[in-house]
Amino acid sequence: MTEREDQRICIKFYFNLEKTAKETMEMIRKAFGTDSMSKSNIYEWYNRFKSGRETVASDLRSGRPSSTNSPDNVEKVREAIAQDSWLTMRELEKQLNIPKTVVAEILTEKTRAP
């Protein structure tokens, strides 16, 4: 469980105790100090529980994953380089449909010999 989830559990707990959003924020800040969620996040989660939300887990987000540097992509880059070691990063990007930044990261970090 993450520290954010811990705080959401506390927010739900204070909500169930019928504490106000302000009291909840004060208790979260007291308990977590500088690691506490922002005021707006605390109020947002408080209102979510007030609206009937039961779960403290984050909502799933759509879209591309933040990192495409997966073992699959590492293997694709290694295979392409093994076939033609003269490929540029831009050619690897187009051929493998992997962002150039990820290709660069794979080439500089993942394929180095120990």
Side-chain angles (χ1 to χ4, degrees), residues 50-69:
K50 190 175 180 179
S51 298
R53 184 180 179 120
E54 293 292 322
T55 180
V56 295
S58 296
D59 295 330
L60 294 176
R61 297 180 180 183
S62 62
R64 185 173 139 189
S66 61
S67 175
T68 53
N69 190 354

Side-chain angles (χ1 to χ4, degrees), residues 21-99:
K22 184 178 180 184
E23 291 172 318
T24 300
M25 183 193 63
E26 290 169 356
M27 296 301 286
I28 295 292
R29 293 239 167 114
K30 187 175 184 179
F32 291 93
T34 57
D35 293 330
S36 66
M37 294 167 55
S38 69
K39 177 182 175 181
S40 60
N41 279 337
I42 293 170
Y43 277 81
E44 179 183 333
W45 277 96
Y46 185 90
N47 287 327
R48 288 180 184 184
F49 295 126
K50 190 175 180 179
S51 298
R53 184 180 179 120
E54 293 292 322
T55 180
V56 295
S58 296
D59 295 330
L60 294 176
R61 297 180 180 183
S62 62
R64 185 173 139 189
S66 61
S67 175
T68 53
N69 190 354
S70 65
D72 240 8
N73 288 342
V74 172
E75 189 58 34
K76 287 179 186 177
V77 170
R78 284 185 177 166
E79 287 175 5
I81 293 295
Q83 290 176 1
D84 184 0
S85 61
W86 291 96
L87 287 172
T88 66
M89 281 192 280
R90 184 155 288 156
E91 291 169 334
L92 287 167
E93 173 189 31
K94 288 180 182 177
Q95 181 179 335
L96 303 174
N97 197 26
I98 300 172

